Amino acid sequence: MSVQNYRRNRRIRVNDVRLIDENGEQVGVVSTKDALERARRAGLDLVEVAPTARPPVCKILDWGKFNYEMNKKEKKSAGPKPKSGLKELRVRPAISDHDLSYRLKDGRKFCEEGNKVLVVCIFRGRQMAHPEHGYDVMKRVSDAMADVAKVEMPAKLMGKRMTMLMAPLPASQRRHIAKDRERAEEEKLEHEPQRAPRRSPAGAPGVPGVIDVGPPVLALEPDGVVDDDEDDDDDLDGDADADVDADVDADADVDVPIKD
């Protein structure tokens, strides 16, 4: 029971109470008025420590000390809180998708361990002329980590550094988001129309009912020489031309005798 739920002094409305004095001794059932008078004389408070009893049990004690001890007991029963720290995640305005994916893996790991993540984007040289590139990177990081963290401090440019603080979400909220995402993916698959199987084009190898002729093959002679009639015809024509030229030259060299 929380300390704030204990009734004390004039807030006790019943007529009779079972009283325990400041020394821890049982006094017995007395009227509430008498119990308040005893507490006033002792300079202490009358606190209802067992409200469900019949009659309720009240004790004369120091309220401040009692409040401190009860708060200490509640903190001890709650157990140690998980240690949370601050981790830094560095990016660049012109970071590639491949490099950013590795940074996001580290950021998700930090949040799952209960740490806050400070995303830092460092500008160099002419990159200062385009701060919108840094804001774009910060938005990509926050969107990719929306299922494990929330933006606690939005992106802010200070000098050459742009910073954004992200805090991890509670475990129950992370599980709820994961279930919603799985449900949305399942619904998407159910409503997605099934595609008809693609038909291979006519004449493709392996298609039933279609003969695959394949590329033309040259016939070979028994000795392995390609039988190419066109080349033979060209050779014959060349030999004929050569013979005609030879006859003409031979005729030109013949001397004709001159009769007197």
Side-chain angles (χ1 to χ4, degrees), residues 21 24 52 58 61 91 96 99 103 123 135 139 141-142 148 150 178-179 186 201 210 224 227 231 237:
D21 64 8
T52 58
C58 293
L61 48 79
V91 295
S96 63
D99 293 342
R103 302 291 195 280
F123 292 80
Y135 287 107
K139 188 177 185 305
V141 173
S142 61
V148 294
K150 63 179 179 180
K179 289 181 180 179
E186 292 176 357
V210 178
D227 184 10
D231 293 341
D237 295 340

Side-chain angles (χ1 to χ4, degrees), residues 99-118:
D99 293 342
L100 184 60
S101 63
Y102 279 97
R103 302 291 195 280
L104 291 174
K105 286 182 181 179
D106 294 337
R108 297 178 70 87
K109 181 180 178 182
F110 295 152
C111 291
E112 290 172 356
E113 293 174 353
N115 300 303
K116 292 185 178 182
V117 178
L118 181 66

Side-chain angles (χ1 to χ4, degrees), residues 144-194:
M145 296 177 58
D147 57 334
V148 294
K150 63 179 179 180
V151 178
E152 190 171 272
M153 186 183 70
K156 184 178 180 181
L157 181 62
M158 295 180 292
K160 294 185 178 182
R161 290 166 58 95
M162 181 179 290
T163 57
M164 179 179 65
L165 183 62
M166 302 191 71
L169 295 174
S172 58
Q173 190 172 354
R174 293 202 300 266
R175 289 193 296 268
H176 182 70
I177 293 174
K179 289 181 180 179
D180 290 344
R181 181 171 295 180
E182 291 178 0
R183 192 181 300 110
E185 291 179 356
E186 292 176 357
E187 292 178 355
K188 183 178 179 181
L189 292 176
E190 291 177 357
H191 293 85
E192 185 176 358
Q194 295 183 355

Side-chain angles (χ1 to χ4, degrees), residues 81-102:
K81 293 183 178 180
K83 295 182 178 180
S84 61
L86 182 64
K87 299 292 186 178
E88 185 174 304
L89 188 69
R90 291 197 172 190
V91 295
R92 301 189 310 273
I95 189 170
S96 63
D97 294 338
H98 180 73
D99 293 342
L100 184 60
S101 63
Y102 279 97

Side-chain angles (χ1 to χ4, degrees), residues 33-65:
K33 186 177 181 181
D34 293 342
L36 287 171
E37 184 63 23
R38 283 173 176 262
R40 188 185 64 80
R41 288 199 302 264
L44 299 173
D45 300 294
L46 181 66
V47 181
E48 189 180 48
V49 293
T52 58
R54 291 292 180 269
V57 179
C58 293
K59 188 175 182 179
I60 298 175
L61 48 79
D62 184 358
W63 171 253
K65 184 178 179 180

